[in-house]
Amino acid sequence: MSVPAPFSTKDRILGAAEELFAQYGFAGTSLRQVTSRADVNIAAVNYHFGSKENLVNEVFRRRMDEMSEKRLSALKTAVEAGSRELEPILAAFVEPALAMAQDRHGGASFMRVIARAYAEKNDALRKFLSDHYGHVLRDFAKAISTVVPELSKEELYWRLDFLAGALTYAMSDFGLIKRPSGTSEATHRARAARELIRFAAAGFRCRPADLS
């Protein structure tokens, strides 16, 4: 029987940083706190990351690279199916994110880190996220525009932005709808995904003239 490999020093640092950023924010967390939580010295942080800014970026990259890959793979499948329906495209955006939120290995902490990113003004982090993951939103915008071509580019991105905000709220599990007793996390997550996809599809299909 194989024994799982122990976490590497780099993994321990990332895990500790994620937990601390979630609790205290980016500005409120010092590298000394990270090294103490990870049980490493400052030289290890400098070796693996070089700076606190890079450490922040890598905390995001560790989660978002995988999520982005799953989103784009699901989007490709939806587009190649050629159904010209919004729901499969929206599912490709929503479901991988909700699955990550329910990951028992730090998913909840990362959701709080995302909330911190929204709340704190961190231009360097926003640029990093735009540079590395902006193409994901652009690919989804392109796919959605083929289904609702009547939306202008501005209207499309407003609605995609609102979807991202609603998804972040759903991922945080701070809402009014809590998981009922006796319902598994997977079942609750699937229900949340269905409801959000239905809600978002109605929003994207709402014609501009309907709002005037």
Side-chain angles (χ1 to χ4, degrees):
M1 181 177 178
S2 62
V3 177
F7 286 118
S8 68
T9 298
K10 184 176 181 179
D11 288 333
R12 293 208 316 273
I13 295 170
L14 286 170
E18 185 176 81
E19 291 174 1
L20 289 165
F21 292 153
Q23 186 173 359
Y24 300 110
F26 306 113
T29 299
S30 69
L31 288 181
R32 188 170 298 278
Q33 287 175 293
V34 174
T35 58
S36 177
R37 178 73 63 91
D39 193 23
V40 299
N41 56 40
I42 194 67
V45 176
N46 291 332
Y47 173 77
H48 286 288
F49 304 101
S51 67
K52 181 179 176 181
E53 180 180 316
N54 285 339
L55 175 58
V56 172
N57 293 345
E58 290 302 315
V59 165
F60 278 85
R61 190 195 299 273
R62 180 172 71 146
R63 302 285 185 186
M64 294 193 67
D65 278 3
E66 181 180 359
M67 182 179 72
S68 296
E69 182 180 342
K70 289 180 178 179
R71 276 176 160 172
L72 292 176
S73 177
L75 176 62
K76 181 180 178 182
T77 299
V79 170
E80 289 179 348
S83 66
R84 294 189 62 80
E85 291 291 331
L86 267 174
E87 284 78 2
I89 295 172
L90 298 177
F93 187 77
V94 167
E95 290 174 355
L98 287 177
M100 182 183 67
Q102 296 296 329
D103 183 356
R104 294 182 179 275
H105 301 290
S109 291
F110 187 64
M111 293 309 100
R112 294 195 296 274
V113 171
I114 290 178
R116 291 283 187 179
Y118 274 93
E120 294 187 21
K121 184 175 175 56
N122 188 324
D123 291 335
L125 175 58
R126 292 185 181 186
K127 184 178 186 306
F128 170 82
L129 294 175
S130 177
D131 289 347
H132 289 80
Y133 306 105
H135 69 285
V136 177
L137 287 178
R138 289 192 292 272
D139 284 355
F140 274 92
K142 181 179 178 180
I144 293 170
S145 70
T146 65
V147 182
V148 284
E150 63 273 15
L151 293 181
S152 69
K153 182 177 180 180
E154 182 180 11
E155 289 163 339
L156 175 61
Y157 273 93
W158 269 111
R159 298 180 195 196
L160 190 54
D161 196 40
F162 291 148
L163 169 59
L167 177 57
T168 300
Y169 183 75
M171 292 163 70
S172 70
D173 198 28
F174 290 148
L176 298 175
I177 308 299
K178 300 300 181 184
R179 177 163 62 92
S181 176
T183 301
S184 69
E185 288 187 6
T187 299
H188 183 60
R189 182 177 70 233
R191 174 70 185 276
R194 287 196 305 272
E195 295 295 339
L196 180 54
I197 291 165
R198 185 181 304 165
F199 177 81
F204 279 106
R205 289 192 176 106
C206 181
R207 296 179 181 275
D210 296 339
L211 303 176
S212 60

